[in-house]
């Protein structure tokens, strides 16, 4: 990326690692395979139409990242590299000029132009379109959370150039531009966005394999885009994402050679997967955070009583024992709300002791809350999706809470992620809910704004704090990355007091591949680099 004062040189890139399956060759060596062979991997049914600004869950995100190319893309280590962009330049960090490479097209033959980006971003930011990624555009002039308004900070200069004016300087603004919300859209998308999302037309390394590519609740089949000329040229003929109702079933398919790549090892195999797969197994840090949220609308969990109970529940969980016994070294107890692989992570924030196992203090705080309003024989449940391999740890956490506080605590199972999210969105949960986050781009801000900022798309439990929002806004406008980091850490200290979410642990990327494929590498975000995988 070319820059004047601000740009790549001013961006703090994540200290994330490139996750490579030990012993598997990189894409520049080893078995080149057959470029016509389709690889298979695990996935999950997207929650809705595949719309770039409306998809925030991992299952749909993996598809969108495969069929679209943005201004930049992320290398395995989290660094950014120009893709559709020829340059992204600014003199002051607030006024940016984006120049595109010539010759890019969507798979329907339409040219990718500056207007393709401006129209897509404007759609995503429009209040009435109710896009879950709309908050990604709140730093562009003209954005509104309350009404439809024009993004006055976007202006097309010519077919290959557009200008962006931010509300305030942001030294690391280019870092987020590889996320799916910033992808371009063809003109046909705006004729009927919902229908378009069933068979989207992208400009990335892969494209939908015909009108029947998406078999709902079964799989999505992608083939290579012959006209793609970006940084992620596929070494295979396509990717088929198979939807599994359990991780155990997917693991069995990899063992049997019926699935090529699995990016999430079930907890039942934590103790054996490295022995079973040898150099085709991976267990490395990744930008993944696991927690559970307690809605403020529940009885006993708002006001001073709620603050006491949230802290008591947090301190009643023996995170070290659970990560050792249940996860067998594939998780690390949380000390904040982000990830150790992202620059700016801290293990000694003020108030982080609320994440320590402290039964005596937990019981004391619970008794203080009971003095305000007795919890009595109420049950504390934790909702989770059964298809995500969460039952083991949810039961362990519930037992830890039960044993410490002497209350009835149980897991509440939903068949899949989609159904578990429905009650969260509707505000009808009967207790807590599993809540994880896999980073969209390598930044502290991305772990905080989408989940806890007032009105953010993934802030399903409705947390709001003027103090937190203010610190987040200051951090986003900071002139240096160090200044921004300090403010984001201050914002986390607010979260440690309020505990809208109870941090549990950071996940390692645990994955395996069958002997049917080579050149398997996982990125900083724990997602395999599908385009590098060879087969045959």
């Amino acid at each position: 990326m070319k820059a004047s004062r601000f740009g790549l040189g001013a961006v703090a890139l994540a200290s994330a690692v490139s996750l490579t399956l030990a012993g598997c060759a990189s894409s520049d060596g080893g078995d080149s395979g057959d470029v016509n062979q389709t690889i298979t991997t695990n996935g999950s049914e997207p929650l809705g139409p595949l719309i770039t600004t409306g998809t925030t869950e991992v299952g749909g995100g993996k598809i969108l990242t495969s069929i679209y190319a943005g201004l930049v893309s992320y290398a395995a280590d989290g660094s950014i590299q120009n893709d559709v962009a020829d340059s992204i330049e600014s003199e002051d960090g607030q006024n940016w000029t984006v120049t595109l490479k010539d010759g890019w097209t969507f798979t329907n033959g339409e040219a990718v132009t500056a207007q393709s980006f401006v129209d897509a971003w404007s759609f995503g930011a429009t209040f009435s379109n109710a896009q879950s990624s709309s908050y990604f555009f709140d730093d562009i002039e003209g954005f509104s959370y309350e009404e439809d308004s024009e993004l006055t900070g976007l202006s097309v200069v010519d077919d290959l150039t557009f200008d962006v004016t931010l509300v305030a300087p942001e030294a690391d603004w280019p870092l987020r531009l590889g996320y799916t919300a910033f992808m371009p859209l063809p003109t046909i998308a705006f004729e009927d966005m919902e229908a378009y999302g069933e068979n989207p037309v992208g400009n990335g390394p892969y494209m939908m394999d015909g009108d029947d590519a998406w078999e709902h609740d079964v799989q999505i089949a992608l083939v290579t885009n012959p006209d793609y000329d970006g940084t992620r040229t596929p070494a295979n003929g396509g990717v088929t994402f198979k939807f599994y109702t359990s991780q155990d079933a997917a693991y069995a398919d990899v063992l049997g050679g019926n699935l090529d790549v699995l990016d999430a090892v079930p907890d039942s195999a934590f103790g054996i997967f490295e022995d079973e797969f040898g150099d085709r197994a991976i267990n490395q840090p990744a930008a993944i955070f696991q927690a559970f949220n307690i809605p403020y609308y529940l009885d006993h969990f708002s006001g001073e009583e709620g603050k006491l109970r949230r802290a008591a529940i947090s301190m009643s969980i023996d995170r070290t024992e659970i990560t050792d016994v249940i996860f067998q070294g594939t998780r690390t107890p949380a000390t904040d709300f982000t990830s150790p692989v992202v620059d700016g992570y801290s293990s000694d924030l003020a108030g982080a002791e609320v994440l320590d196992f402290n039964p005596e203090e937990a019981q004391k705080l619970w008794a203080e809350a009971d003095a305000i309003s007795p919890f009595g024989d109420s049950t504390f449940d934790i909702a989770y999706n059964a298809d995500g391999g969460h039952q083991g740890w949810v039961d362990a956490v519930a037992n830890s809470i039960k044993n410490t506080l002497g209350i009835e605590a149980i897991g509440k199972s939903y068949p899949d992620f989609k159904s578990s999210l429905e009650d969260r969105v509707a505000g009808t949960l009967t207790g807590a809910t599993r809540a994880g986050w896999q980073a969209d781009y390598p930044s502290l801000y991305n772990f905080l704004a989408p989940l806890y900022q007032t009105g953010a798309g993934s802030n399903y439990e409705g947390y709001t704090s003027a103090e937190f929002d203010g610190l987040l806004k200051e951090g986003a406008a900071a002139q240096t990355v160090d200044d921004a980091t300090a403010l984001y850490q201050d914002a986390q200290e607010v979260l440690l007091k309020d505990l809208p979410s109870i941090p549990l642990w950071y996940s390692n990327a645990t994955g395996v591949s069958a002997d049917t494929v080579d050149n398997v590498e996982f990125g900083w975000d724990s997602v395999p680099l599908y385009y590098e995988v060879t087969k045959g």
Side-chain angles (χ1 to χ4, degrees), residues 319-354:
R319 294 165 176 80
T320 299
E321 180 179 73
I322 293 172
T323 53
D324 287 345
V325 175
I326 299 294
F327 294 112
Q328 302 186 48
T330 63
R331 304 290 189 274
T332 303
T335 61
D336 80 337
F337 293 79
T338 64
S339 165
V341 304
V342 176
D343 271 0
Y345 159 79
S346 174
S347 61
D348 52 18
L349 296 173
E353 62 274 7
V354 76

Side-chain angles (χ1 to χ4, degrees), residues 84-415:
V84 180
D86 185 57
S87 65
I88 304 174
E89 300 176 305
S90 178
E91 291 290 339
D92 57 7
Q94 183 172 2
N95 299 283
W96 296 83
T97 296
V98 179
T99 304
L100 310 182
K101 295 172 184 173
D102 197 4
W104 278 85
T105 61
F106 293 101
T107 56
N108 66 351
E110 179 182 331
V112 177
T113 67
Q115 197 71 52
S116 306
F117 284 93
V118 169
D119 287 347
W121 297 8
S122 297
F123 174 86
T126 299
F127 177 78
S128 62
N129 290 333
Q131 294 298 286
S132 54
S133 289
S134 63
Y135 58 89
F136 275 96
F137 307 103
D138 67 358
D139 55 356
I140 299 176
E141 280 193 353
F143 180 88
S144 173
Y145 277 112
E146 300 176 349
E147 60 183 4
D148 286 354
S149 58
E150 180 185 358
L151 284 184
T152 54
L154 295 181
S155 60
V156 173
V157 177
D158 56 43
D159 281 352
L160 298 178
T161 312
F162 66 99
D163 291 333
V164 183
T165 302
L166 305 181
V167 175
E170 292 186 33
D172 65 350
W173 182 70
L175 190 62
R176 67 187 63 189
L177 300 180
Y179 180 53
T180 51
F182 294 97
M183 301 302 184
L185 289 173
T187 54
I188 59 169
F190 305 101
E191 296 173 4
D192 186 337
M193 191 63 74
E194 294 293 312
Y196 169 83
E198 292 294 321
N199 192 11
V201 175
N203 64 320
Y206 297 98
M207 59 185 186
M208 303 288 274
D209 187 14
D211 293 339
D212 300 324
W214 187 350
E215 298 179 58
H216 285 281
D217 299 311
V218 178
Q219 67 179 31
I220 285 181
L222 307 181
V223 295
T224 54
N225 173 8
D227 297 322
Y228 175 78
D229 190 28
T231 60
R232 298 175 290 150
T233 302
N236 50 62
V239 185
T240 296
F241 294 85
K242 295 185 174 182
F243 306 151
Y244 287 87
T245 56
S246 78
Q247 290 179 330
D248 289 290
Y251 187 80
D253 270 0
V254 183
L255 278 172
N258 297 315
L259 186 72
D260 296 321
V261 180
L262 175 65
D263 64 13
V265 172
D267 54 10
S268 61
F270 283 153
I272 59 174
F273 80 98
E274 291 179 288
D275 290 334
E276 287 192 313
F277 284 89
D279 62 3
R280 294 183 177 276
I282 184 175
N283 181 15
Q284 297 284 351
I288 305 175
F289 167 83
Q290 186 66 259
F292 66 84
N293 294 356
I294 306 174
Y296 285 88
Y297 57 74
L298 295 177
D299 290 342
H300 303 292
F301 286 98
S302 61
E304 181 61 23
E305 179 193 357
K307 189 172 184 178
L308 292 166
R309 294 201 189 280
R310 290 166 190 273
I313 285 174
S314 179
M315 287 188 283
S316 71
I317 302 167
D318 193 340
R319 294 165 176 80
T320 299
E321 180 179 73
I322 293 172
T323 53
D324 287 345
V325 175
I326 299 294
F327 294 112
Q328 302 186 48
T330 63
R331 304 290 189 274
T332 303
T335 61
D336 80 337
F337 293 79
T338 64
S339 165
V341 304
V342 176
D343 271 0
Y345 159 79
S346 174
S347 61
D348 52 18
L349 296 173
E353 62 274 7
V354 76
L355 305 182
D356 295 335
F357 181 50
N358 189 337
E360 294 78 13
E361 183 66 12
Q363 293 162 8
K364 173 179 173 291
L365 295 176
W366 195 260
E368 291 178 14
D370 274 346
I372 298 173
S373 177
F375 195 72
D377 59 359
S378 300
T379 296
F380 181 78
D381 62 64
I382 304 173
Y384 67 94
N385 51 303
D387 63 342
H390 301 293
Q391 181 177 353
W393 73 256
V394 170
D395 288 345
V397 167
N399 285 334
S400 189
I401 295 170
K402 180 178 181 179
N403 294 336
T404 301
L405 299 179
I407 64 173
E408 184 64 22
I410 60 173
K412 181 178 180 180
S413 175
Y414 288 79

Side-chain angles (χ1 to χ4, degrees), residues 446-457:
N446 184 242
F447 279 92
L448 303 177
L451 300 177
Y452 313 113
Q453 183 173 283
T454 301

